[in-house]
Amino acid sequence: YLFFFQESMHAYAANVYTSVVEELVKGKQRKFIAVEQEFFRLWWDAVATDTYKQQVHQLLQEGQLEFVIGGQVMHDEAVTLIDDQILQLTEGHGFLYETFGIRPQFSWHVDPFGASATTPTLFALAGFNAHLISRIDYDLKADMQKNKKLQFVWQGSPSLSEGQEIFTHVMDQYSYCTPSQIPFSNRSGFYWNGIAAFPDPPKDGVYPNMSLPVTDTNIHLYAQTMVANIKERAAWFRTSDVLWPWGCDKQFFNASVQYSNMDLLLDYINKHSDEFGVTVQYATVGDYFQAVYSRNLTWEIRDSQDFLPYSTEPFQAWTGFYTSRSTLKGIARKASSLLYAGESFFTQYVRKHPASSICKCGALKQLQSLRWAVSEVQHHDGITGTESPKVKDMYMNNLMYGMFNVKKLMASIIFDMNNAKKNGEVYSSVYVKDSGIPDVDHYVVVYNPLAWNITTFVTVSVSHLAMSVYDELGHPVPAQVQISAESHSTYDLYILVAISGLSYRKYNVKPLNGKQSAFIGRSVKYKRKDITRADQQSRQLLPVVNNCYQVLFDQNTNLMHSITERETNQTVQLTQEFLEYHVNGDVMKGPISDNYLFAPNASAVPVSKAVGLEVVSGNLMTEIRQYFYSNVTSQDYIYAVYTRMYTVPEGYDGKLLCHRIEQEYSVGPLELNREAVLRTSTNLNTRQLLYTDSNGYQIQKRPFKAYVNNTVARNYYPMVQTAYIEDDTTRLMLLAERAHGVSSQGNGQVEVMLHRRLWNNLQWDLNYNLTLNDSSVVRPVIWLILGTKAVTNILYRTSGLALEHRPVVMFGALSGDKPKPPRQLQQNSAHGSPVTVPPNLHLQTLSIPGWRYSSNHAEQVHSIRMGKQKQGDADFSRVLLRIRHLYEVGEDPVLSQPVMVNLKSLLKGLGSVMVVEERSLTGTWDVNTLKRWKWKTAQYPSKGLSNSTETSENCIVTVHPKEIRTFFVYFQGQ
């Protein structure tokens, strides 16, 4: 489960690769699979000698060493975003292809806690021939095992269906570790190298718990035990090939002991195969799948239903990690979003300013530090929150360091492009709230990283109430300033920005000088109300209205009462309250909640008896501040909700802005063994059906299921970006900027788990410091959208991305002289050449990866064999472009249509496109040469190789629903 990176690397992972390589070289029959590239690369770069490097090349060629998955990490499947899964996979694949000319073709997703339907689709797009998972519900696994249904062809995406299907193998009940019980001894068996002791290995080479060695006296008993287990498992599969994984977490650090005992045992079984009825051989995952494939059987098809949530026994639902360490989940996503902006910003800069003053290699290193940090935190013990505080701090530090580098890079690019005097200071902050600006005149630079025109508000902390904001032509810009909810000495300045795709604009913010000023938000405070004694008779409702909604607050309770969607005049009763699940931490008293598990011992309990209300209203925005107290006389509030509604002036496209009700929550510090939820209850007849997204890629239907035990926890699902409930006419959507657990525990209800603070005394958790005593305050943001299905369908994909990729805000102080207007002032004075795609497409990647490999496979393999890999500088001429279709087939009459894109005209602002090569998802295959295995199914009886996409002619591409298309683009003059 847990890798402590630094110690783990130096003492343990380094040993594994060093000792495994030595042992593989000693015996041609021996094999080994390696998964996470982060570990392998650290060994390769820091530890491996030239001799070891030669040997690795040789072993890969001989098929003794096989890289499976090949990403930086084995990513979590429940709480990660598709962009970040692709990033970490691409990062690892680029290294493997550049270094060895190899491309992984099989997965080994044995440890993530539940399996998503997005993962098999990504692996298919990356060119994989088969997928392997292990952790699925215990009762479902038992049933599939009994009926020999652990293998199937999975069509993870309804729209891509058989085009991107993949053969999937679910491991049986023994999962991915060798069973260690041996009947002839009370010592363990099969784990001859014992348990890894690091960072100080024992001097005498005797590790704890080393298994009973194989000797002449016990070899027959060992063989009988192994064969019995093989035969037990053979009964659960359709072919006579059995995958018997040898190893477990932190094994093979002392590979000589391991292989020498394995050799003896395998030879013995094969010499007596008539008696035992089995033959055994060392194999890689690829060898196993090749054997199953060549049996030529016809397989069942599984649709896009995933394997979430995951339970290991009646009271162990692994649904707590959907929310664990919410702060880390938030920072991981913020970092991902900053990286996305930094990549396209840098790509445009390199294309348009070839003779720049910024060192491109240094800049690429700055981006790479964030690519690595965002990749590594996708690990199934990273963003999940299932690591010790020490490892969590390492992830956080790496993310903060990478973010600092990319902010610095973006600031220096703006400097360079504006020929600013180098003494003008540049402050740089993303999503601002974290830094105020000085009292002098200063400018705010706002970059829109999306390939759509965007109209939204950015927030800047200022120290005066009287401010004015101008664009570069000196025209006033709509803005509103008000006292900050957080601190009474600062003010929040909201600036309305309208920016075209992949462009930035500069705004001048001045303390008032008599002329046009920002609107001022006026605050009205209402008396704190005791909600337990609210008078139902004389209900007084307070309306807050913009062009899209009327929201009513009940003045008896200060709680939300209803929302009316103004276009259809549809009113939905809607109230929100905070509740807490009280959970047990003592293993002697029953099931516990921990980083992984959620085990509520009763229904959630309302937390507050009194609510305070403050309404701050201005011409552009109204902010409703609700404070939740444990009782009427409490000093401090325990929870707060800040609800913002926007009014967009004439002349601006306010459709997205007007339709979102933005909520920011303040939750914590919690008491111990409490799990905090925000429950939204409506009068929609939803029949308790919930919809949640799968990794921000597609939607899964989540009907409420009643179980004998643990029903509450087993009906929690991960919400990475989106969740909604609906009746026949109306839908309520929730969009999030970090992952949460979400559930519908009653008709018309949706509850989101926002925070957890736990302590438990399970020995295993104590050993690894996994008690989640998280005393932080978290500040997640959720956007609510209410409307007809047709309207929400049009809005929610673009809105979800607008929340994910909010504009990047940077500050600069004006250094004495006025900035010169840029040379080519366009009408809207945006900088950059707008790159714009239609609203049903998303420009998912625009970056300069820097790989030095040849995109011609024969050439790449040849240059590696000849030892001529290109050393030295990164390649800045190759631009990586990905375009994703956001809609499913049949989801919307207009937006679900295929879209034709002319890549030349799309990218004309970056230069003149010379060559476009269409590639596999991670870039390592030319799609024209990628032929995946085609597994026989009842639907498609003929077996053969499948070729996936139609390729592009003359840079014109037709993107079909749900496709993710990947290209290398080369421009003229490179």
Side-chain angles (χ1 to χ4, degrees):
Y1 299 92
L2 301 148
F3 286 109
F4 305 78
F5 266 72
Q6 268 88 359
E7 301 100 293
S8 192
M9 183 48 223
H10 295 290
Y12 158 68
N15 270 3
V16 171
Y17 286 115
T18 303
S19 92
V20 164
V21 168
E22 286 169 1
E23 292 309 307
L24 291 177
V25 172
K26 288 180 194 163
K28 288 271 176 248
Q29 77 286 11
R30 296 171 171 178
K31 307 238 173 163
F32 192 78
I33 61 165
V35 181
E36 299 183 303
Q37 288 313 299
E38 171 133 356
F39 287 116
F40 180 78
R41 291 171 79 167
L42 290 171
W43 175 78
W44 184 259
D45 293 338
V47 181
T49 60
D50 286 349
T51 310
Y52 283 130
K53 290 186 175 183
Q54 270 323 110
Q55 290 170 336
V56 169
H57 279 281
Q58 192 59 32
L59 293 167
L60 286 166
Q61 244 170 296
E62 310 278 323
Q64 282 181 262
L65 176 63
E66 177 174 87
F67 286 113
V68 290
I69 309 180
Q72 284 292 90
V73 296
M74 184 190 299
H75 69 254
D76 167 67
E77 302 196 33
V79 298
T80 47
L81 193 61
I82 182 173
D83 310 56
D84 302 329
Q85 295 181 1
I86 294 172
L87 170 77
Q88 72 84 22
L89 205 56
T90 304
E91 204 43 43
H93 283 190
F95 163 76
L96 285 174
Y97 194 54
E98 185 168 84
T99 314
F100 306 112
I102 63 154
R103 307 178 277 205
Q105 299 194 325
F106 303 98
S107 101
W108 180 256
H109 254 229
V110 296
D111 211 17
F113 322 131
S116 141
T118 301
T119 310
T121 305
L122 292 191
F123 287 164
L125 289 166
F128 287 16
N129 288 317
H131 178 37
L132 183 148
I133 61 177
S134 179
R135 292 179 178 269
I136 65 169
D137 257 342
Y138 67 100
D139 40 6
L140 178 62
K141 182 177 278 202
D143 187 59
M144 291 167 76
Q145 193 168 279
K146 197 174 72 209
N147 298 309
K148 296 194 182 191
K149 289 189 188 292
L150 289 170
Q151 295 171 316
F152 47 84
V153 170
W154 197 353
Q155 297 183 350
S157 156
S159 296
L160 302 176
S161 65
E162 75 274 5
Q164 300 303 338
E165 67 189 13
I166 193 167
F167 180 80
T168 303
H169 170 102
V170 183
M171 292 188 129
D172 59 45
Q173 71 190 42
Y174 290 103
S175 192
Y176 64 91
C177 291
T178 325
S180 62
Q181 264 72 38
I182 45 174
F184 51 92
S185 165
N186 55 9
R187 281 173 70 181
S188 68
F190 304 108
Y191 290 90
W192 297 286
N193 58 196
I195 292 174
F198 53 81
D200 305 309
K203 299 278 178 284
D204 57 2
V206 179
Y207 285 83
N209 289 19
M210 291 174 87
S211 288
L212 193 65
V214 174
T215 59
D216 290 350
T217 50
N218 68 22
I219 192 162
H220 190 75
L221 297 167
Y222 249 126
Q224 280 180 320
T225 305
M226 182 167 171
V227 167
N229 184 267
I230 289 171
K231 287 182 167 170
E232 180 189 3
R233 293 159 101 153
W236 301 329
F237 291 94
R238 290 179 56 203
T239 76
S240 51
D241 315 289
V242 176
L243 173 68
W244 209 75
W246 209 317
C248 194
D249 297 356
K250 304 195 193 70
Q251 284 291 306
F252 285 92
F253 53 89
N254 185 354
S256 63
V257 197
Q258 202 57 20
Y259 277 111
S260 53
N261 282 280
M262 288 157 77
D263 284 350
L264 294 169
L265 196 45
L266 298 188
D267 288 346
Y268 183 86
I269 292 173
N270 287 337
K271 283 205 182 72
H272 301 86
S273 61
D274 292 356
E275 176 195 339
F276 288 125
V278 302
T279 58
V280 286
Q281 67 175 73
Y282 285 111
T284 61
V285 185
D287 295 336
Y288 171 71
F289 281 125
Q290 182 68 66
V292 176
Y293 182 61
S294 56
R295 301 277 177 186
N296 209 1
L297 299 185
T298 300
W299 299 97
E300 283 190 6
I301 288 176
R302 179 182 177 89
D303 66 11
S304 59
Q305 192 55 48
D306 64 9
F307 293 96
L308 287 164
Y310 161 61
S311 287
T312 37
E313 48 186 77
F315 286 100
Q316 292 191 343
W318 295 50
T319 55
F321 81 91
Y322 301 160
T323 304
S324 296
R325 299 205 191 286
S326 178
T327 304
L328 174 64
K329 285 176 163 65
I331 295 281
R333 283 274 281 277
K334 205 175 242 199
S336 159
S337 154
L338 177 64
L339 177 63
Y340 175 76
E343 295 279 14
S344 64
F345 202 60
F346 177 65
T347 303
Q348 294 187 73
Y349 177 69
V350 169
R351 287 292 322 124
K352 293 187 212 159
H353 300 261
S356 63
S357 67
I358 290 176
C359 159
K360 287 192 299 204
C361 293
L364 195 59
K365 282 204 172 66
Q366 290 176 300
L367 282 167
Q368 270 162 347
S369 68
L370 191 52
R371 289 177 191 169
W372 269 63
V374 173
S375 293
E376 90 182 357
V377 80
Q378 307 311 316
H379 188 280
H380 57 276
D381 283 307
I383 194 167
T384 50
T386 55
E387 65 285 272
S388 68
K390 193 163 156 189
V391 178
K392 179 260 301 179
D393 291 342
M394 180 211 72
Y395 283 125
M396 288 288 260
N397 291 339
N398 291 352
L399 288 165
M400 301 305 266
Y401 172 70
M403 288 171 78
F404 174 74
N405 282 335
V406 170
K407 289 176 185 181
K408 220 162 56 177
L409 171 62
M410 293 180 76
S412 54
I413 287 177
I414 286 175
F415 242 24
D416 193 54
M417 298 214 284
N418 290 285
N419 312 321
K421 287 220 169 110
K422 288 289 180 270
N423 57 4
E425 225 181 313
V426 168
Y427 306 81
S428 145
S429 146
V430 176
Y431 311 147
V432 242
K433 283 261 168 110
D434 50 356
S435 83
I437 16 189
D439 287 349
V440 298
D441 277 15
H442 45 263
Y443 59 87
V444 179
V445 175
V446 185
Y447 177 60
N448 167 25
L450 289 165
W452 301 315
N453 297 339
I454 214 88
T455 301
T456 190
F457 281 95
V458 297
T459 320
V460 178
S461 256
V462 293
S463 49
H464 296 283
L465 196 52
M467 299 299 274
S468 40
V469 182
Y470 301 96
D471 65 18
E472 282 177 277
L473 300 175
H475 300 144
V477 173
Q480 180 172 322
V481 68
Q482 59 203 39
I483 191 104
S484 164
E486 286 307 283
S487 100
H488 292 298
S489 56
T490 59
Y491 298 90
D492 292 334
L493 172 65
Y494 288 82
I495 304 171
L496 182 65
V497 298
I499 310 176
S500 41
L502 268 54
S503 303
Y504 73 91
R505 296 185 69 172
K506 281 168 73 174
Y507 298 91
N508 195 354
V509 176
K510 299 180 177 209
L512 195 59
N513 50 7
K515 292 201 297 295
Q516 162 81 35
S517 147
F519 297 114
I520 290 179
R522 304 284 174 199
S523 156
V524 179
K525 290 195 171 78
Y526 295 85
K527 219 171 87 199
R528 197 185 297 188
K529 292 293 163 66
D530 181 339
I531 56 179
T532 55
R533 295 217 300 269
D535 175 6
Q536 291 308 311
Q537 304 317 307
S538 61
R539 180 165 273 166
Q540 283 185 299
L541 299 175
L542 170 76
V544 178
V545 186
N546 71 0
N547 298 336
C548 297
Y549 302 111
Q550 170 176 276
V551 180
L552 296 178
F553 287 84
D554 182 339
Q555 293 198 282
N556 287 326
T557 60
N558 286 340
L559 294 173
M560 197 180 281
H561 169 269
S562 65
I563 302 180
T564 303
E565 204 275 319
R566 294 181 63 192
E567 200 178 345
T568 55
N569 215 14
Q570 193 87 18
T571 297
V572 174
Q573 306 294 315
L574 189 148
T575 57
Q576 290 183 313
E577 60 176 339
F578 289 104
L579 300 98
E580 286 174 353
Y581 287 99
H582 293 211
V583 294
N584 166 46
D586 182 355
V587 285
M588 302 315 289
K589 293 192 178 146
I592 57 150
S593 265
D594 66 6
N595 299 47
Y596 311 89
L597 308 175
F598 171 40
N601 47 21
S603 299
V605 183
V607 289
S608 86
K609 297 200 166 72
V611 182
L613 179 71
E614 177 184 4
V615 177
V616 182
S617 47
N619 296 36
L620 300 178
M621 182 192 80
T622 302
E623 183 175 54
I624 301 98
R625 301 171 179 173
Q626 290 165 293
Y627 300 97
F628 294 76
Y629 299 86
S630 44
N631 59 54
V632 180
T633 55
S634 311
Q635 243 351 87
D636 299 318
Y637 60 88
I638 35 179
Y639 290 84
V641 184
Y642 308 105
T643 303
R644 303 180 190 109
M645 289 170 61
Y646 300 101
T647 304
V648 185
E650 286 295 305
Y652 285 85
D653 172 13
K655 191 170 79 168
L656 285 186
L657 202 46
C658 168
H659 273 100
R660 70 177 176 243
I661 296 172
E662 177 173 299
Q663 292 197 314
E664 184 178 347
Y665 312 101
S666 171
V667 181
L670 301 177
E671 287 172 49
L672 216 44
N673 288 331
R674 298 282 189 270
E675 319 217 7
V677 300
L678 173 79
R679 183 177 289 167
T680 302
S681 308
T682 70
N683 62 345
L684 296 174
N685 178 19
T686 61
R687 295 184 274 286
Q688 242 178 309
L689 178 58
L690 172 71
Y691 295 84
T692 66
D693 70 323
S694 164
N695 311 108
Y697 177 63
Q698 56 193 24
I699 297 289
Q700 291 271 348
K701 200 173 186 168
R702 309 292 193 188
F704 189 86
K705 296 181 182 138
Y707 295 96
V708 180
N709 298 312
N710 221 12
T711 293
V712 170
R714 287 188 84 173
N715 279 284
Y716 255 80
Y717 294 93
M719 159 193 192
V720 177
Q721 221 173 27
T722 315
Y724 63 86
I725 54 173
E726 62 184 21
D727 64 9
D728 299 335
T729 57
T730 308
R731 183 183 287 169
L732 173 68
M733 311 240 19
L734 281 63
L735 301 173
E737 39 69 86
R738 71 187 71 177
H740 302 280
V742 62
S743 185
S744 178
Q745 297 285 341
N747 189 25
Q749 276 184 8
V750 56
E751 67 180 52
V752 180
M753 191 183 289
L754 297 175
H755 203 9
R756 323 176 69 212
R757 184 179 181 186
L758 311 169
W759 184 86
N760 72 79
N761 58 7
L762 179 67
Q763 200 49 53
W764 198 89
D765 282 345
L766 294 175
N767 293 348
Y768 291 108
N769 197 357
L770 284 178
T771 52
L772 203 65
N773 188 355
D774 180 347
S775 58
S776 63
V777 176
V778 295
R779 318 240 2 186
V781 171
I782 288 181
W783 289 358
L784 307 179
I785 299 179
L786 181 76
T788 60
K789 291 181 193 182
V791 167
T792 53
N793 243 350
I794 293 169
L795 293 171
Y796 85 95
R797 306 241 177 224
T798 33
S799 295
L801 284 157
L803 174 55
E804 191 64 42
H805 299 297
R806 287 167 288 187
V808 176
V809 178
M810 288 163 285
F811 306 135
L814 299 181
S815 49
D817 54 349
K818 284 265 186 313
K820 292 192 266 315
R823 286 176 298 269
Q824 46 5 319
L825 260 181
Q826 292 149 345
Q827 260 340 105
N828 70 354
S829 78
H831 303 262
S833 321
V835 176
T836 314
V837 295
N840 50 355
L841 295 188
H842 171 45
L843 186 74
Q844 184 162 311
T845 309
L846 181 66
S847 74
I848 294 178
W851 303 311
R852 298 184 294 265
Y853 61 70
S854 162
S855 48
N856 175 318
H857 184 61
E859 215 170 277
Q860 174 63 5
V861 171
H862 180 71
S863 70
I864 286 171
R865 297 257 157 100
M866 303 308 287
K868 287 191 194 137
Q869 297 106 299
K870 294 202 196 81
Q871 291 307 314
D873 282 356
D875 175 0
F876 290 92
S877 65
R878 174 188 288 144
V879 171
L880 174 66
L881 168 74
R882 284 195 193 95
I883 296 177
R884 162 156 61 112
H885 197 303
L886 295 173
Y887 284 80
E888 298 282 0
V889 170
E891 188 180 351
D892 182 272
V894 178
L895 297 168
S896 291
Q897 297 301 320
V899 185
M900 273 177 76
V901 181
N902 181 331
L903 299 180
K904 271 192 170 168
S905 57
L906 176 68
L907 300 174
K908 66 176 185 295
L910 300 186
S912 154
V913 173
M914 289 302 285
V915 182
V916 172
E917 300 166 347
E918 181 156 8
R919 308 291 291 184
S920 60
L921 182 70
T922 58
T924 52
W925 292 86
D926 170 344
V927 289
N928 300 304
T929 61
L930 174 57
K931 303 271 187 284
R932 294 197 308 126
W933 296 353
K934 182 78 183 149
W935 297 74
K936 271 191 356 192
T937 57
Q939 204 175 331
Y940 300 93
S942 69
K943 191 181 85 168
L945 296 171
S946 73
N947 198 345
S948 47
T949 48
E950 52 184 275
T951 49
S952 46
E953 287 298 309
N954 343 327
C955 305
I956 293 180
V957 191
T958 302
V959 188
H960 293 272
K962 278 293 161 212
E963 281 187 341
I964 302 173
R965 304 285 287 276
T966 304
F967 306 93
F968 288 166
V969 182
Y970 304 89
F971 293 87
Q972 197 170 355
Q974 290 191 326

